[in-house]
Amino acid sequence: MPICPTRDGVEIFYKDWGQGRPVAFIHGWPLNGDAWQDQLKAVVDAGYRGIAHDRRGHGHSTPVWDGYDFADDLNDLLTHLDLRDVTLVAHSMGGGELARHIGRHGTGRLRSAVLLSAIPPVMIKSAKDPEGVPDEVFDALKDGVLTERSQFWKDTAEGFFSANRPGNKVTQGNKDAFWYMAMAQTIEGGVRCVEAFGYTDFTEDLKKFDIPTLVVHGDDNQVVPIDATGRKSAQIIPDAELKVYEGSSHGIAMVPGDKEKFNQDLLEFLNK
């Protein structure tokens, strides 16, 4: 299997398909690189090189107990593959990794960025961010992972895809794939990720973006509310472009209808 060794000896599994200008995908919680298969095929068919890795503690990467520093793992991968002029495409928690990568390591290797249903600038509700998510929601997520995670993931898939909305196009396959990927995440990784994406403030990282950036968010995102995240990110990032998908869920890249629309918008952005 293709493996990237990190600075602390963790093995990061990745897919590396096609040739051409690189597009690297960063998955959300609790998924892995398989969540991007439709997008990988779309970019490779269009003449690009597609890369998608599994976060440590997820999928085929090392099931570590501690040492969760995801932004530096991303830098290790870009360095290991010597990727340059790369577009980073990040979903959900992956958007935080992308932002922190730019905050720490700059944009020297990067061409552009896409934030899809992403968590920046900050998720937690506060006096400063009243549109955010209450603290008790994150406690409930950790409780669900720790108490009976298999059923928790089945239940969580409903809101993740807005399958609880009338007329939705979510398939049983979408929900089954979510469950399968979630169960491949370690229980410790699941809890540590909630702590990372729930409480980290990426505002200062977003201010350091100096590359073309596309922000895509559904206005029915029940996991990462658009008013707390996507709309604010588009205001903070210099010259960012915001696309709002009306009625769309958190799982845009996987749901029929939404994923084809996103693939088209992604390819148009890559071709600029």
Side-chain angles (χ1 to χ4, degrees), residues 230-251:
R231 294 194 197 279
K232 289 186 177 180
S233 288
Q235 292 173 350
I236 296 169
I237 298 170
D239 301 319
E241 177 185 2
L242 173 65
K243 285 184 177 286
V244 178
Y245 287 17
E246 185 176 353
S248 294
S249 72
H250 188 58

Side-chain angles (χ1 to χ4, degrees), residues 42-259:
V43 300
V44 171
D45 285 349
Y48 297 94
R49 176 184 176 188
I51 300 105
H53 70 287
D54 294 352
R55 182 182 297 116
R56 60 172 65 199
H58 298 63
H60 297 293
S61 293
T62 303
V64 295
W65 179 256
D66 55 12
Y68 287 89
D69 197 332
F70 308 117
D72 282 348
D73 285 353
L74 175 60
N75 186 63
D76 287 341
L77 179 67
L78 298 184
T79 303
H80 176 72
L81 295 176
D82 195 24
L83 298 181
R84 300 180 186 276
D85 202 27
V86 59
T87 296
L88 297 181
V89 183
H91 174 240
S92 191
M93 178 180 172
E97 295 170 39
L98 191 162
R100 184 54 48 88
H101 171 80
I102 290 177
R104 286 184 182 171
H105 303 286
T107 57
R109 290 181 176 272
L110 308 186
R111 178 188 182 94
S112 54
V114 179
L115 295 173
L116 173 64
S117 306
I119 62 170
V122 61
M123 286 273 285
I124 187 70
K125 183 176 182 178
S126 65
K128 176 185 172 185
D129 295 289
E131 305 89 356
V133 178
D135 187 60
E136 55 265 27
V137 172
F138 300 118
D139 288 339
L141 292 176
K142 289 188 284 187
D143 256 1
V145 173
L146 293 170
T147 303
E148 209 294 275
R149 64 193 182 99
S150 181
Q151 186 60 48
F152 172 73
W153 295 130
K154 287 181 180 291
D155 296 340
T156 301
E158 298 295 314
F160 188 96
F161 293 114
S162 291
N164 49 6
R165 302 299 198 218
N168 72 81
K169 296 181 180 179
V170 182
T171 66
Q172 186 61 46
N174 290 147
K175 293 186 281 188
D176 289 348
F178 175 90
W179 177 88
Y180 181 80
M181 285 185 272
M183 290 298 289
Q185 174 197 64
T186 65
I187 192 168
E188 179 68 4
V191 172
R192 294 291 294 274
C193 284
V194 174
E195 294 168 352
F197 72 68
Y199 302 99
T200 306
D201 188 340
F202 300 99
T203 302
E204 295 305 312
D205 301 297
L206 296 180
K207 293 177 181 178
K208 296 180 180 179
F209 280 48
D210 58 1
I211 52 175
T213 303
L214 174 64
V215 179
V216 177
H217 221 101
D219 65 4
D220 189 39
N221 191 321
Q222 299 175 48
V223 180
V224 179
I226 186 172
D227 289 335
T229 56
R231 294 194 197 279
K232 289 186 177 180
S233 288
Q235 292 173 350
I236 296 169
I237 298 170
D239 301 319
E241 177 185 2
L242 173 65
K243 285 184 177 286
V244 178
Y245 287 17
E246 185 176 353
S248 294
S249 72
H250 188 58
I252 283 172
M254 296 172 69
V255 175
D258 280 343
K259 68 180 179 182

Side-chain angles (χ1 to χ4, degrees), residues 29-43:
W29 176 89
L31 308 176
N32 57 53
D34 279 348
W36 292 113
Q37 292 237 19
D38 289 299
Q39 287 70 43
L40 284 167
K41 177 168 173 53
V43 300

